[in-house]
Amino acid sequence: MTEQAQAPARKKGNWGAKIILVLVALLIAVASYFILSAILPRWWSDVIAGQIRRDLGASVLVGMFYGFVFTFLPLLVAWQATHKAIKWPWKIVIVLLAVAIATPNLLTAGIVFGSSESAHAGQRTLSVDAGFFTTWTAISAIAAAVAFVMVVILWTVWRSRGKKVKALKQADSERLKAAKQAEKEARDAERAAGGRPTSGPAAFLDDAKRRVTDVFDGKPDVDGKPDKK
């Protein structure tokens, strides 16, 4: 009775500890969100402004670089999680890695679509010091997504073609094996029949040779049976 009473108590204690840990994790996540949302947009806009320095040409090139590279690579990494050989815990790790790689574009999106005071400050900084950065980042991100879709389509078509070629080669191999097996069985049948071939050119030549021999030995073999001496 004592052991049975201790077991439910332990389960309740475990559940209580889990609930407390979950609540603490949620509080940390919420606090981190507000702290980062107040710091990161302003910091990222200053970083981009320092890279571009009010040069419109640099603004376009930097926007294209960030938009394309940090969209295409995360999609490519996240795509690896679709493989059947990868187990679920690793799928989550791969997706988190893809999100981490996409951080520059996520920070830019946080500035553009954010409503906090820090986001508005970042918008003003980018508007003054990096005029075309956000526009070309968005255009390049869309181009990267389209390029990724094309890569996936081409990969799928190539893989499907490879499977078809493999199936055709396997079918040809099986046909060759069947033909060799049939030829072997025919030779075995010929040996069982006394060494005379029963079909094909060899059988025709053997029959012709036997008829010529019957003609010259003076005892034609009319019924097809060997001569009796």
Side-chain angles (χ1 to χ4, degrees), residues 71-93:
T71 299
F72 187 82
L73 286 182
L75 291 174
L76 192 63
V77 172
W79 185 32
Q80 309 308 311
T82 60
H83 293 296
K84 296 180 180 179
I86 299 176
K87 304 299 180 183
W88 264 109
W90 289 107
K91 290 180 184 290
I92 297 174
V93 172

Side-chain angles (χ1 to χ4, degrees), residues 1-68:
M1 295 292 292
T2 305
E3 294 179 356
Q4 292 178 354
Q6 288 178 352
R10 289 177 182 173
K11 290 182 178 180
K12 290 180 180 179
N14 291 336
W15 276 108
K18 290 179 180 179
I19 291 173
I20 292 172
L21 288 175
V22 170
L23 291 176
V24 170
L26 288 175
L27 289 175
I28 293 174
V30 172
S32 300
Y33 170 77
F34 283 107
I35 292 172
L36 293 176
S37 64
I39 296 174
L40 290 180
R42 195 185 300 269
W43 169 79
W44 181 243
S45 64
D46 290 339
V47 170
I48 297 301
Q51 293 177 355
I52 294 173
R53 298 179 181 179
R54 298 189 178 184
D55 186 344
L56 294 181
S59 179
V60 172
L61 293 176
V62 172
M64 291 175 64
F65 172 77
Y66 279 110
F68 191 91

Side-chain angles (χ1 to χ4, degrees), residues 160-171:
S160 176
R161 181 180 176 277
K163 288 182 178 179
K164 290 180 180 178
V165 171
K166 185 178 180 180
L168 290 173
K169 289 182 178 179
Q170 186 175 1

